[in-house]
Amino acid sequence: MIQSVLVANRGEIARRIFATCRRSGIGTVAVFSDADALSPHVTEADAAVRLPGNSPADTYLRGDLVIEAALLAGADAIHPGYGFLSENAEFARAVHDAGLTWIGPPAPAIEMMGSKVESKKLMAAAGVPVLAELDPDAVTEADLPVLVKASAGGGGRGMRVVRELADLPEQLEGARREAQSAFGDPTVFCERYLETGRHIEVQVMADRHGTVWAVGERECSIQRRHQKVVEEAPSPLVEAVPGMRERLFEAARLAAKAIDYEGAGTVEFLATGRADTDGGDFFFLEMNTRLQVEHPVTECTTGLDLVDLQLEVASGLALDADSPAVSGHSIEVRLYAEDPAQNWQPQSGPVHRLALPGTAVEFDVLRTPGIRLDSGVVDGSTVGVHYDPMLAKVISFAPTRTQAATRLATALGRTQIHGLRTNRDLLVNVLRHPAFLAGDTDTAFFDTHGLDVLAQPLASVETERLSALAAALADAAHNRDVATVDSTLPSGWRNLASAPQSKTFTGTGGDVEIRYLLTRYGLKAEGFDDVSLVSATARHVALDAAGLRRSFEVSRYGDDVFVDSTLGPVSLHAAPRFTDPSAVVAEGSLLAPMPGSVIRVGAAVGDAVTAGQPIVWLEAMKMEHTIKAPASGVLTELSVTVGTQVDVGTVLAVVEAAHAEGES
């Protein structure tokens, strides 16, 4: 039996695997890059080995260093998690050749599924329905729209939708760059793009004795940039279409048996049609020869610990003849450090606090209704630019789908997330949307229902104003607490009538100015005639507003203020009393929206540019981001070259706007 496992991964999935190992009495070994030296997965392992460098190519993709680390630490097995080396057949062989147990499928199975091009041919021969592959050089107008995909990867990287034939060459080039950066293989291909498909996948588990389980299906149709955001089990579509589940399971088992599969894997399909007798057609997309990010929803609906099963299968144990029954409903959302309203722009920086309300199970199977948290960060963690910006997965389990959605939306809405901007509000809005609750969740969900609508803040404008008042009162209480003289007097107290206290905050709706006096008769705040103060400390403020008592928890980190209440979370920035001249940038400046590396520039100083023209390409978190000219004019300054590392807010270039004739 396995005694000690090295996890060739980082963050949330490393912590998830370690949790099962601890429950099973198995030792744990972590590897870490320099950027991850203080990561929770490092401190939680029994031992950890440094992989010098920051980029994945220098660290987590260095199979030779990972195997050396396992041997150094005395581990007898390696679990690859997902991403990085998890679907690398050569690495699997090298692990075996080093005398270690590989917790994954055989190398030939990985190899056969590693190329999306070749795997489709194999699946077609096995009787699994597939979408035809298109040669990128032979795509015509009649084929549009098409999807460009990286042959060796997933997670939305190296994937582009092309609707105009003239755009195909540029999109192919960009997809190849992303694929090379993320997977070390620039090979891409095309296939017909189904605008409103349903992404359905089947979890399989197979042992080396010939037993293959189809362990329920998941639906993962709500996606951004072709990367899943909301996942659930079972699928609303499959539940509604008679006989579809049996056909899906049979296709998944055929796929696994065709390659003599062992261990945990996922067969992914794209389904068409709606919930009627003619719907439910599906086509093979790919097989992920590893554990999936969304595996917790299957665990919660089956009661299985899939990581524990992986360990048992890798040790040679046999599965039971029949797979377990499925019950209840589970929904998972991926909490990302990103701004959906700004084209899903990744965020980086500190995570001051991440706390779910009540008691949440962490990295364990929910066997009764509740909330589970699988997170790669803890309070005080820093999100960098080298890796995916996912902070956590939040999972609910309940007897029905509606209950699971309601429970999850409420928990997310009341979660304290301090530091980075995240997609939390979007996730809650999706979970509460009538179309989602009705099970209408195709891959065009954001386009159909409007990203601008779904990305709206949970807190209303009035809630933001009330929260800003609470923040001002909490700040005044804090000032009293730290005052060295007259600390018992109210903040701003005068023995004669004086001007109101004034504090200005910047929120999502712009500046909010709070003007108030604390008098012997209570709070007098301008614009809050129906609000009275009940109590105020540096952290907690209670207000009576229109006859309703509300409690606000206020947290401050420098000039950033976070106010949490049942009305909705509010993020504020305390405005400085005076403007720092050095912080003012020239009009027409192109600022770096996140830290990253410049991989391409599209113009030179002196060039005439047009509004929307790409000027600089940044790579951050393994994705390309294009910085465009804000207006037509002349590029008067270019501060970066290819390879330049930039911080958020760095001035990349300056465009002097062209003036209309007659202007001076």
Side-chain angles (χ1 to χ4, degrees):
M1 295 295 291
I2 294 170
Q3 300 298 315
S4 178
V5 173
L6 179 143
V7 177
N9 219 295
R10 61 178 300 279
E12 167 266 327
I13 187 57
R15 297 184 76 198
R16 161 69 188 93
I17 296 163
F18 289 161
T20 287
C21 289
R22 283 194 297 272
R23 289 191 289 267
S24 301
I26 295 173
T28 57
V29 179
V31 289
F32 63 95
S33 67
D34 292 338
D36 278 340
L38 300 179
S39 173
H41 84 273
V42 178
T43 58
E44 290 175 356
D46 296 332
V49 180
R50 174 178 174 246
L51 304 177
N54 287 319
S55 73
D58 294 332
T59 56
Y60 299 108
L61 289 173
R62 284 287 304 274
D64 56 336
L65 297 183
V66 171
I67 291 172
E68 288 177 11
L71 297 174
L72 173 66
D76 57 354
I78 290 181
H79 193 305
Y82 51 72
F84 296 134
L85 294 166
S86 62
E87 295 179 282
N88 187 308
E90 288 306 312
F91 179 60
R93 287 194 181 92
V95 169
H96 178 77
D97 292 344
L100 302 169
T101 298
W102 167 250
I103 304 174
I110 299 175
E111 217 155 40
M112 284 184 276
M113 290 292 110
S115 166
K116 292 183 176 64
V117 175
E118 297 304 317
S119 65
K120 287 194 172 188
K121 296 176 183 176
L122 184 63
M123 291 299 99
V128 180
V130 301
L131 275 175
E133 175 204 345
L134 301 173
D135 181 347
D137 296 326
V139 171
T140 67
E141 289 280 357
D143 298 317
L144 298 176
V146 297
L147 186 62
V148 180
K149 299 179 73 173
S151 180
R157 296 175 179 86
M159 192 177 292
R160 311 287 181 92
V161 177
V162 179
R163 292 184 170 84
E164 299 290 338
L165 201 58
D167 296 336
L168 184 59
E170 181 182 352
Q171 295 300 323
L172 285 169
E173 181 184 352
R176 286 174 179 134
R177 283 196 304 269
E178 278 190 357
Q180 176 64 43
S181 175
F183 314 115
D185 182 350
T187 305
V188 299
F189 68 99
C190 296
E191 67 185 18
R192 181 165 59 97
Y193 179 59
L194 302 181
E195 295 276 6
T196 56
R198 304 280 287 247
H199 189 114
I200 313 293
E201 59 190 33
V202 179
Q203 175 72 57
V204 296
M205 180 67 71
D207 63 22
R208 65 187 59 171
H209 308 288
T211 299
V212 179
W213 285 355
V215 198
E217 85 284 345
R218 301 184 284 257
E219 179 155 348
C220 314
S221 298
I222 298 182
Q223 303 178 6
R224 60 97 167 103
R225 289 179 169 172
H226 311 289
Q227 191 170 44
K228 302 161 189 172
V229 177
V230 182
E231 300 114 340
E232 58 181 309
S235 158
L237 176 66
V238 176
E239 288 275 274
V241 178
M244 185 176 179
R245 178 168 290 121
E246 290 73 17
R247 291 186 290 119
L248 272 171
F249 284 11
E250 178 60 22
R253 284 190 289 262
L254 283 174
K257 290 178 179 179
I259 58 174
D260 296 323
Y261 198 77
E262 293 178 21
T266 298
V267 187
E268 299 194 353
F269 301 93
L270 190 63
T272 62
R274 299 182 62 83
D276 55 49
T277 54
D278 297 323
D281 291 334
F282 56 85
F283 304 93
F284 173 84
L285 282 177
E286 61 184 346
M287 182 173 184
N288 290 303
T289 53
R290 53 171 169 82
L291 199 65
Q292 290 278 94
V293 177
E294 57 271 25
H295 74 274
V297 297
T298 296
E299 293 186 321
C300 292
T301 51
T302 61
L304 297 172
D305 182 328
L306 292 177
V307 174
D308 193 45
L309 282 175
Q310 284 185 295
L311 295 171
E312 291 184 358
V313 167
S315 299
L317 299 181
L319 298 171
D320 292 339
D322 298 318
S323 60
V326 172
S327 64
H329 202 96
S330 182
I331 303 175
E332 171 183 300
V333 293
R334 302 189 191 186
L335 183 66
Y336 281 101
E338 65 183 11
D339 186 351
Q342 299 297 321
N343 196 29
W344 311 100
Q345 182 177 296
Q347 308 289 298
S348 62
V351 179
H352 300 302
R353 182 165 174 76
L354 176 61
L356 271 70
T359 302
V361 169
E362 292 191 64
F363 305 110
D364 201 1
V365 180
L366 284 169
R367 294 179 170 84
T368 57
I371 298 292
R372 166 177 167 174
L373 175 68
D374 285 18
S375 176
V377 301
V378 295
D379 293 358
S381 291
T382 298
V383 176
V385 300
H386 302 287
Y387 315 112
D388 186 272
M390 187 174 76
L391 300 178
K393 303 179 313 196
V394 188
I395 307 105
S396 65
F397 175 62
T400 70
R401 185 173 184 271
T402 299
Q403 290 171 337
T406 301
R407 185 184 293 265
L408 184 54
T410 300
L412 276 172
R414 298 186 179 185
T415 295
Q416 293 182 339
I417 306 173
H418 301 166
L420 295 168
R421 187 181 299 277
T422 73
N423 65 337
R424 181 261 300 277
D425 291 9
L426 171 96
L427 296 173
V428 175
N429 289 331
V430 168
L431 292 168
R432 290 175 174 167
H433 197 281
F436 178 84
L437 294 173
D440 296 332
T441 55
D442 61 39
T443 53
F445 192 89
F446 291 128
D447 293 332
T448 301
H449 302 291
L451 180 59
D452 57 337
V453 175
L454 294 168
Q456 286 293 312
L458 295 178
S460 67
V461 173
E462 184 54 37
T463 293
E464 187 170 90
R465 289 185 67 249
L466 199 59
S467 297
L469 174 61
L473 295 170
D475 185 56
H478 168 73
N479 291 337
R480 289 199 302 274
D481 291 343
V482 299
T484 56
V485 294
D486 293 333
S487 60
T488 58
L489 295 179
S491 177
W493 180 88
R494 300 290 187 274
N495 61 351
L496 297 174
S498 63
Q501 295 293 298
S502 177
K503 296 182 187 296
T504 300
F505 300 94
T506 301
T508 57
D511 288 346
V512 181
E513 184 180 11
I514 300 298
R515 293 171 60 82
Y516 71 93
L517 282 171
L518 292 173
T519 73
R520 69 182 65 188
Y521 304 108
L523 173 70
K524 294 180 64 177
E526 295 181 8
F528 296 93
D529 296 338
D530 59 350
V531 176
S532 60
L533 174 63
V534 178
S535 63
T537 69
R539 290 295 306 275
H540 299 277
V541 175
L543 300 171
D544 273 347
L548 296 174
R549 183 159 298 184
R550 301 286 187 182
S551 295
F552 301 84
E553 185 167 346
V554 182
S555 303
R556 185 160 184 164
Y557 311 89
D559 290 332
D560 293 324
V561 185
F562 298 87
V563 185
D564 294 290
S565 74
T566 56
L567 293 173
V570 171
S571 173
L572 302 167
H573 183 79
R577 294 183 63 189
F578 305 102
T579 302
D580 182 357
S582 66
V584 178
V585 298
E587 184 178 353
S589 295
L590 281 69
L591 306 182
M594 76 285 292
S597 175
V598 177
I599 59 172
R600 184 181 172 193
V601 294
V605 173
D607 286 355
V609 299
T610 58
Q613 178 180 331
I615 304 297
V616 177
W617 284 259
L618 285 180
E619 182 181 71
M621 299 173 179
K622 308 314 294 178
M623 298 287 284
E624 278 191 20
H625 307 274
T626 306
I627 316 301
K628 301 177 180 179
S632 297
V634 176
L635 188 67
T636 59
E637 182 180 330
L638 182 63
S639 308
V640 296
T641 59
V642 173
T644 301
Q645 298 288 325
V646 298
D647 293 323
V648 62
T650 298
V651 177
L652 306 174
V654 177
V655 174
E656 184 176 311
H659 294 291
E661 188 174 344
E663 289 186 10
S664 60

